Amino acid sequence: MKVTIQETEAAVIAAIEGSIDSKTAPDLQQSILPVINDRNKMVLDLTEVTFVSSAGLRVLLMVYRQLKSKDGKVFLVGVSDEIKDVMFMTGFITFFEITSTLEEALASN
């Protein structure tokens, strides 16, 4: 798994590649949680994510909770149908704003 962090005036953007599973979820957590300390908008680009396990969903939930505590939002971009299905079945889909493009996520409030 690879995570690329970009900070803009509007949001913190994390582009994630590969699988988010029990082996990679701790690395993802360490990569993204520290950068959202003073921000209230995060965009997670999941376009290149092939799989999200329950450990990966837990990290996404941690990001959501951290931002929600500051009245912030988490936008997910490029979520595959398979990952959407898992998020729908687990109820996680209601925690996030899902957009098709990065530009759409950055323009949303």
Side-chain angles (χ1 to χ4, degrees):
M1 182 198 67
K2 179 181 174 187
V3 180
T4 304
I5 304 289
Q6 178 184 2
E7 295 189 50
T8 69
E9 287 186 29
V12 176
I13 303 164
I16 305 163
E17 297 177 31
S19 294
I20 307 172
D21 55 26
S22 60
K23 290 183 181 176
T24 60
D27 292 338
L28 177 62
Q29 180 179 337
Q30 289 180 351
S31 297
I32 60 176
L33 286 182
V35 297
I36 57 175
N37 282 336
D38 60 344
R39 306 303 290 264
N40 64 1
K41 183 175 183 180
M42 177 156 225
V43 178
L44 299 176
D45 185 349
L46 303 180
T47 304
E48 299 297 324
V49 172
T50 55
F51 174 76
V52 178
S53 72
S54 58
L57 291 175
R58 186 180 70 77
V59 173
L60 296 181
L61 182 61
M62 292 171 71
V63 172
Y64 164 78
R65 286 182 175 163
Q66 188 165 335
L67 284 161
K68 181 71 176 171
S69 70
K70 297 183 245 180
D71 291 327
K73 289 186 178 179
V74 181
F75 293 81
L76 303 181
V77 176
V79 183
S80 71
D81 289 341
E82 292 82 11
I83 294 172
K84 278 183 191 171
D85 287 345
V86 170
M87 294 181 78
F88 181 78
M89 286 186 286
T90 57
F92 277 62
I93 202 145
T94 60
F95 300 139
F96 305 99
E97 303 284 335
I98 296 182
T99 64
S100 300
T101 66
L102 180 60
E103 292 76 20
E104 186 181 343
L106 292 173
S108 298
N109 291 321

